[in-house]
């Protein structure tokens, strides 16, 4: 039987109740599941293991959480609550986005399993929505069009998750083999002996390309933000030449005053977007 998606929304968004000193509660289930996933990844997460960790039967968990999928959504929102509250200030959009991206990265270093949650149909909870809203706010005051704001924030989120997925895969291999990443690559002498036939690779190797590698997260984040910044500058230069809603080139207004929208429909759409919650 297909479960009503609204049931998941109610589960995620219901008010947290005061927990009794003893007994099983949704909050205790979620915290135990987070600890388990931190230790074993999502592949090690099951309702049975969570129940064993808490000292209850598996069936008792289902009275609070319908299943593993809903549990993962609760876990995500639980750890998203670890994000520090945004501070009001005059910092520019790049400084604000850089800070929140680093916070998201640190969160995934504490909870690498977050990057394992794949798919596009995971319901967000209040902590997740608050974090997303904070990221959107950093760009909403720029000259980017509303769809570009959404796309830019999605790009940053995908970049952070891609970097975090490397941590997940590294930890999984180390748990499986009992050999660290550095030890495994250090033992590949027979491979290295064959690489001197490749001139570019050899040139970079001899010039220390792998001696002090760039921090992949910091390098990638800077390049992503550089791209967004270039687009913001481009939009600043053309903000009175293109429609601010759809990007269509604007015809000069007869009055000489700069036009902002190409049509009444775009003006009304922009007004509705600003009024939307």
């Amino acid at each position: 039987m297909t479960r009503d998606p609204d049931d998941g929304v109610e589960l995620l968004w219901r008010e947290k109740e005061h927990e009794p000193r003893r007994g099983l509660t949704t909050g205790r289930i979620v915290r135990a599941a987070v600890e388990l996933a931190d230790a074993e990844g999502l592949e090690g997460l099951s309702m049975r293991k969570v129940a064993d960790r808490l000292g209850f039967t598996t069936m008792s968990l289902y009275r609070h959480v319908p299943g593993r999928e809903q549990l993962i959504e609760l876990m995500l929102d639980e750890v998203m609550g670890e994000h520090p509250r945004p501070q009001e200030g005059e910092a520019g959009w790049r400084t604000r986005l850089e800070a929140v991206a680093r916070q998201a990265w640190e969160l995934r270093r504490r909870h690498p399993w977050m990057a394992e949650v794949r798919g596009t149909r995971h319901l967000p909870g209040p902590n997740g929505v608050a974090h997303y809203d904070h990221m959107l706010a950093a760009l909403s005051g720029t000259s980017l069009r509303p769809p570009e704001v959404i796309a830019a924030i999605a790009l940053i989120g995908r970049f952070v998750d891609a970097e975090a997925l490397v941590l997940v895969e590294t930890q999984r291999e180390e748990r499986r083999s009992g050999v660290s990443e550095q030890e495994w690559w250090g033992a590949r002498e027979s491979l290295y002996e064959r690489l001197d036939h490749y001139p570019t690779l050899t040139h970079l190797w001899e010039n220390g390309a792998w001696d002090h590698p760039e921090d992949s997260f910091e390098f990638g984040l800077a390049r992503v933000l550089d791209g967004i910044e270039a687009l913001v500058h481009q939009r600043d230069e053309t903000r009175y030449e293109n429609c601010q809603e759809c990007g269509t080139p604007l015809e000069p207004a007869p009055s000489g005053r700069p036009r902002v929208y190409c049509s009444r429909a775009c003006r009304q759409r922009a007004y509705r977007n600003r009024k939307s919650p």
Side-chain angles (χ1 to χ4, degrees), residues 6-74:
D6 281 344
D7 291 345
V9 174
E10 292 299 324
L11 181 65
L12 277 162
W13 286 79
R14 68 184 179 185
E15 292 290 334
K16 291 187 177 180
E17 300 177 354
H18 176 70
E19 292 190 348
R21 290 187 176 182
R22 295 183 179 181
L24 192 61
T25 65
T26 302
R28 287 172 183 161
I29 293 170
V30 172
R31 288 191 292 275
V34 168
E35 292 173 0
L36 181 60
D38 287 348
E40 301 185 23
L42 283 190
E43 64 183 357
L45 178 71
S46 69
M47 300 294 276
R48 180 186 61 77
K49 284 187 176 181
V50 175
D52 290 345
R53 197 178 190 93
L54 290 167
F56 286 86
T57 65
T58 305
M59 287 306 300
S60 63
L61 267 63
Y62 288 108
R63 301 191 187 101
H64 300 269
V65 181
R68 186 176 183 273
E69 181 179 344
Q70 291 79 13
L71 177 58
I72 290 173
E73 288 171 348
L74 287 165

Side-chain angles (χ1 to χ4, degrees), residues 167-187:
L167 295 180
V168 171
E169 292 167 349
T170 300
Q171 290 181 358
R172 181 186 297 132
E173 285 301 314
E174 289 181 345
R175 283 196 302 266
R176 181 189 63 80
S177 67
V179 178
S180 73
E181 192 80 352
Q182 185 175 6
E183 291 171 339
W184 192 89
W185 282 107

Side-chain angles (χ1 to χ4, degrees), residues 113-167:
W113 54 268
M114 293 177 69
E116 292 184 273
V117 182
R118 316 310 295 168
T120 60
R121 298 189 179 183
H122 287 279
L123 293 169
N127 291 324
V129 172
H131 173 68
Y132 184 52
D133 187 73
H134 176 51
M135 293 187 73
L136 293 174
L139 279 177
S140 64
T142 68
S143 54
L144 295 185
R145 294 185 285 114
E148 292 173 336
V149 171
I150 300 296
I153 296 306
L155 176 63
I156 292 173
R158 286 194 295 270
F159 164 71
V160 173
D161 276 339
E163 286 292 306
L165 197 55
V166 176
L167 295 180

Side-chain angles (χ1 to χ4, degrees), residues 217-237:
F217 174 78
E218 292 295 338
F219 181 85
L221 177 61
R223 302 295 76 78
V224 170
L225 293 176
D226 285 347
I228 295 172
E229 187 168 24
L231 182 60
V232 170
H233 288 163
Q234 180 182 337
R235 290 290 176 262
D236 284 339
E237 293 172 356

